[in-house]
Amino acid sequence: PHAGYLINLGSPEEEGLARSREAFLDEVRRCAALGLASLNVHPGSHKGLISEEECLRRVAGSVDRALAAIRGVTVVLENTAGAGGTVGRDFEQLARVIGLVRDRSRVGVCLDTCPLFAAGYDLRTRRGYERTLREFEEAVGCTFLKGLHLNDSKSALGSRVDRHESLGEGQLGWAPFKWIMRDERFEGIPLILETPDPSRWADEIARLYDLLA
């Protein structure tokens, strides 16, 4: 499951931070009640009012509070495109949050192909794809990878604009999804389709499985 999009775990405003932390705790509590093992969340935004470092520290503090209150749920941080002061646009920022969290056995990362591309990670060539995974391994470590969101991108490389597109219809094309489907590093990791047109989901999923041939 995905936490509410209005939750800002790194909010620069004390009242907003308190509300976000309470809302996030409620989401984690519901996951525990439903027997769900993990919860995906966007880290948050500094809104230009505090430094990126302070925002990352607030995100880690928010995660700490939720993990201390609720057992059995892993918090999964999703990468962002970096627009509007959002943190988590690069692997180093994600690694910084993980490094600040007290219980790192219950924190992970979900990588979304669309904001990865929009943040400047070029997945369109095999060399760029391998470079991206190498940089993730060096900065974060693949042991923290808990899921992938599969989306093509309406927006250009490095645009910092996160706009999903149907697979094969955007800037990425089909090549990176073929490499993902055939990559043994992703065995056992959930691949979640988030493309914008529900009428195409069945065909997109069938095409993804065809890429295994």
Side-chain angles (χ1 to χ4, degrees), residues 43-99:
S45 170
H46 54 70
K47 299 182 178 181
L49 300 176
I50 57 176
S51 68
E52 288 186 349
E53 174 63 18
E54 176 59 25
C55 185
L56 296 172
R57 288 184 175 276
R58 290 184 176 216
V59 173
S62 299
V63 173
D64 277 340
R65 282 170 168 78
L67 295 182
I70 308 295
R71 302 293 178 186
V73 178
T74 294
V75 172
V76 180
L77 303 168
E78 183 178 345
N79 64 297
T80 69
T86 55
V87 294
R89 70 178 181 274
D90 59 47
F91 301 147
E92 288 73 22
Q93 289 187 345
L94 295 169
R96 180 61 175 154
V97 175
I98 291 171

Side-chain angles (χ1 to χ4, degrees), residues 8-11 13-21 58 62:
N8 183 356
L9 299 183
S11 176
E13 301 148 341
E14 296 305 321
E15 183 179 350
L17 182 62
R19 287 200 305 266
S20 288
R21 285 175 169 175
R58 290 184 176 216
S62 299

Side-chain angles (χ1 to χ4, degrees), residues 113-125:
T113 53
C114 176
L116 265 181
F117 183 72
Y121 294 96
D122 195 348
L123 305 172
R124 294 172 298 184
T125 67

Side-chain angles (χ1 to χ4, degrees), residues 137-209:
E137 173 62 33
E138 291 171 353
V140 179
C142 287
T143 56
F144 287 101
L145 185 61
K146 304 301 181 183
L148 290 175
H149 288 173
L150 304 184
N151 298 289
D152 210 324
S153 176
K154 291 181 182 291
S155 305
L157 177 68
S159 64
R160 295 198 177 184
V161 178
D162 184 1
R163 295 290 182 271
H164 296 184
E165 179 60 282
S166 298
L167 300 188
E169 298 295 323
Q171 299 286 326
L172 284 168
W174 277 104
F177 303 105
K178 176 182 69 175
W179 300 325
I180 288 171
M181 292 299 293
R182 298 180 181 183
D183 198 326
E184 294 182 354
R185 289 169 289 194
F186 301 141
E187 285 292 329
I189 293 178
L191 307 179
I192 300 169
L193 195 67
E194 287 189 325
T195 49
D197 185 353
S199 70
R200 302 182 65 170
W201 287 347
D203 289 338
E204 287 175 310
I205 291 169
R207 177 69 182 271
L208 287 168
Y209 278 111

Side-chain angles (χ1 to χ4, degrees), residues 127-139:
R127 178 178 293 181
Y129 171 84
E130 293 295 342
R131 182 189 301 116
T132 298
L133 291 183
R134 183 171 64 252
E135 290 178 5
F136 180 79
E137 173 62 33
E138 291 171 353

